[in-house]
Amino acid sequence: MNGMCPHPKERVQLALQREADAQSRGDVTSPSEMPPFVFVVNIALPGPPNCHIMVFYYAVGDLSTIDGSDSTPSSKLSQEFFFGKDDTFRDNQHLQINPSNH
């Protein structure tokens, strides 16, 4: 299963396509529907009899809150996670969702 985010009918993809269409028509007066940054978490829980899919959208209107420029600890952490030069930080257990059977 590849997830929903890249699907052409998914809401972020549709908004991006509308913006691309407006730009190709030369319509530069249309306001952008998209915030400067969107982080999407797509979780699929397979199992009989159905597969359950959850999609969480996190939209950021002010990039300084995640690019490290406002000097807060969360901004510095976000900068390294989202915009780091390699996957080392992301791969070293900084975002995990672990199932638990109790």
Side-chain angles (χ1 to χ4, degrees):
M1 183 176 285
N2 279 338
M4 299 296 292
C5 300
H7 192 278
K9 301 252 185 226
E10 192 271 332
R11 69 177 55 207
V12 173
Q13 296 300 324
L14 290 172
L16 289 170
Q17 185 60 51
R18 284 190 297 270
E19 288 190 13
D21 292 345
Q23 287 178 354
S24 69
R25 291 190 309 267
D27 184 1
V28 293
T29 60
S30 295
S32 175
E33 295 181 50
M34 298 293 294
F37 187 83
V38 177
F39 177 64
V40 183
V41 177
N42 187 35
I43 300 172
L45 300 172
N50 300 314
C51 178
H52 302 280
I53 298 173
M54 298 172 282
V55 182
F56 301 91
Y57 297 87
Y58 300 93
V60 178
D62 178 5
L63 283 178
S64 71
T65 61
I66 62 168
D67 69 3
S69 64
D70 75 356
S71 299
T72 61
S74 62
S75 180
K76 291 176 183 177
L77 181 68
S78 297
Q79 189 282 331
E80 194 169 354
F81 185 82
F82 293 121
F83 308 112
K85 298 213 183 300
D86 59 41
D87 290 334
T88 304
F89 185 78
R90 289 181 289 275
D91 289 345
N92 286 332
Q93 304 174 357
H94 285 86
L95 178 65
Q96 289 186 3
I97 299 173
N98 295 318
S100 172
N101 295 326
H102 295 284

